[in-house]
Structures are given as C-alpha cells and as structure tokens.
Amino acid sequence: MRVRKLTLAAMALAAGLSLTACQNDDGTDQSATPPAASAPSSSDGGSGSAGSDQEGGTGSGGKTPNGSDATGGSGGSGGSGEDGKTAKCRTDELEITAIDATVGGDDRGTVAVDLKNGGGRDCTLEGYAGVDLKTNAGTLSAERTGQQAPTIVLADGDTVTFGITYPVNDTGGSGVRITGLVVTPPNETKSVTLDWPGAASLPVTDGSGTPVQVGPMGSAGQGG
C-alpha cells in the first residue's frame, strides 16, 4: 500500500509540473506577440508634409507655366514699366524765368525763357512749351516755328532755354500793350505767369503781320 501511495503521489506531482510547463509556454507565446503598429509621430508627419509643400512651392513658384524662371520674368517686367525712359519734367520741379534777349539791329524782338531743373532728379522735356501773352486786348497765343523739337534730358540743376520772337512796334502808336507772359512746360497743364521782359507793346495789325512765335526746347542760348 505504501508503494502505491508513493506512485500516485509521484504521478500527481508529474501532472502538476506538466500543467505548469504548459501555462508557462502559453504565457511565453502570448508575451512574444508583437504589439500593434504605432501611428507615426507628429514630428515625422510634419516633416513629410513640409517637404512635400516645399517641393510643390518650388515647382509652382519658381517656374512659370511655360517653364521660364518666374523671378526673371517678373524682374524684367518691373524694370521695363517705364520703357527705361526718364520721367517728364513737372511744372513744380522747374524754375522758369524770362529775360529780354533782343539783339540790336534785329527787326524782331526776342525773349529767352529759361527752365531750370530743381526737382532733385533727371527729367525729360520734349516738344514745345505753351506760350501766351497777356495783353490789354486779351490773350495772344504764340505760334510754333515748326522746327524739329528734340527730346531734352535735363539733369538736376541744369537749364534749357527756348526763344519767343515778336514783331517790334515801330508805328509810333501805343499798339497792343503786353501785361504778362504765361508759360506752360511741354506735356503739362500747370502754367507759370511771369513779367514780360520785352518791349512794352506789339503793333496793331489786321492779322496779316508778323506773328508772335515760340521755338522748341533748346532753340535759344542760355539766359543770363
């Protein structure tokens, strides 16, 4: 009986060890199962997105649809906005003065009008100035001589001069009295009114006499 009890006890012990071993194996297999894949970190996701946006930006911003450089195209357009020309001279930038420039013995009187650039930049004068004489009989507009009018690029501080010619009143009468000179720079609408420095009057005519005329920019020598 004692031997049988020992045998049964040994069998029970072996069965317990076998069960423990199975549980350990199951636990070991279970712990070896890999965890579920984790989501990418926010830093990785941000880096990927930024790289994509940056490449997309370079592709669309760096090139125009025809493949040319966008920067070069924009720069060229901006540089040629004024066709490379110097801006015109404005009335407010010019110091305008007039002096008598009649040479003794001439059958016509001459007034020289100076336009000095005081605008702090180079500017352009092109064509004829508008010239009107104020008289006691109304306003008299000077006619253009018809000479070719060059384009004058006037540096800051420089002066250009044009001439006004008019008939001398040698009739002995009072004639048409001149009370002022109105000058409008080329391509401008703002005028400057000056004292008339020439002879006091013009001869009275029926319109068939010598007209008052204005020359283009540079048509007279420098004024005093």
Side-chain angles (χ1 to χ4, degrees):
M1 288 295 294
R2 182 178 178 81
V3 174
R4 185 175 180 178
K5 287 180 180 181
L6 290 175
T7 300
L8 291 174
M11 290 177 64
L13 178 61
L17 291 175
S18 176
L19 179 61
T20 302
C22 290
Q23 289 176 348
N24 289 340
D25 289 344
D26 291 343
T28 301
D29 292 342
Q30 189 175 20
S31 64
T33 301
S38 60
S41 66
S42 60
S43 59
D44 290 345
S47 174
S49 174
S52 173
D53 290 345
Q54 185 176 13
E55 291 177 0
T58 302
S60 61
K63 298 289 183 181
T64 60
N66 61 8
S68 62
D69 291 340
T71 302
S74 173
S77 174
S80 60
E82 295 293 333
D83 296 328
K85 294 182 179 179
T86 306
K88 70 177 182 180
C89 299
R90 299 288 186 180
T91 302
D92 291 339
E93 298 175 317
L94 299 170
E95 180 184 344
I96 304 175
T97 55
I99 63 168
D100 182 15
T102 303
V103 177
D106 285 355
D107 60 352
R108 305 192 72 190
T110 302
V111 167
V113 179
D114 290 345
L115 293 85
K116 181 178 180 180
N117 180 9
R121 64 182 179 91
D122 293 356
C123 62
T124 300
L125 290 168
E126 184 174 7
Y128 286 75
V131 170
D132 297 298
L133 300 187
K134 298 172 69 175
T135 77
N136 61 341
T139 299
L140 174 64
S141 296
E143 299 179 6
R144 296 178 179 181
T145 61
Q147 296 171 265
Q148 183 176 359
T151 299
I152 305 293
V153 177
L154 197 61
D156 182 41
D158 283 357
T159 300
V160 65
T161 306
F162 69 87
I164 303 169
T165 57
Y166 59 94
V168 176
N169 180 19
D170 55 7
T171 64
S174 60
V176 178
R177 185 165 53 87
I178 303 173
T179 60
L181 169 64
V182 180
V183 176
T184 308
N187 303 307
E188 276 286 88
T189 57
K190 186 175 182 179
S191 303
V192 174
T193 300
L194 308 171
D195 291 334
W196 173 251
S201 64
L202 300 173
V204 177
T205 68
D206 57 4
S208 60
T210 302
V212 177
Q213 291 185 307
V214 55
M217 293 292 129
S219 62
Q222 295 291 323

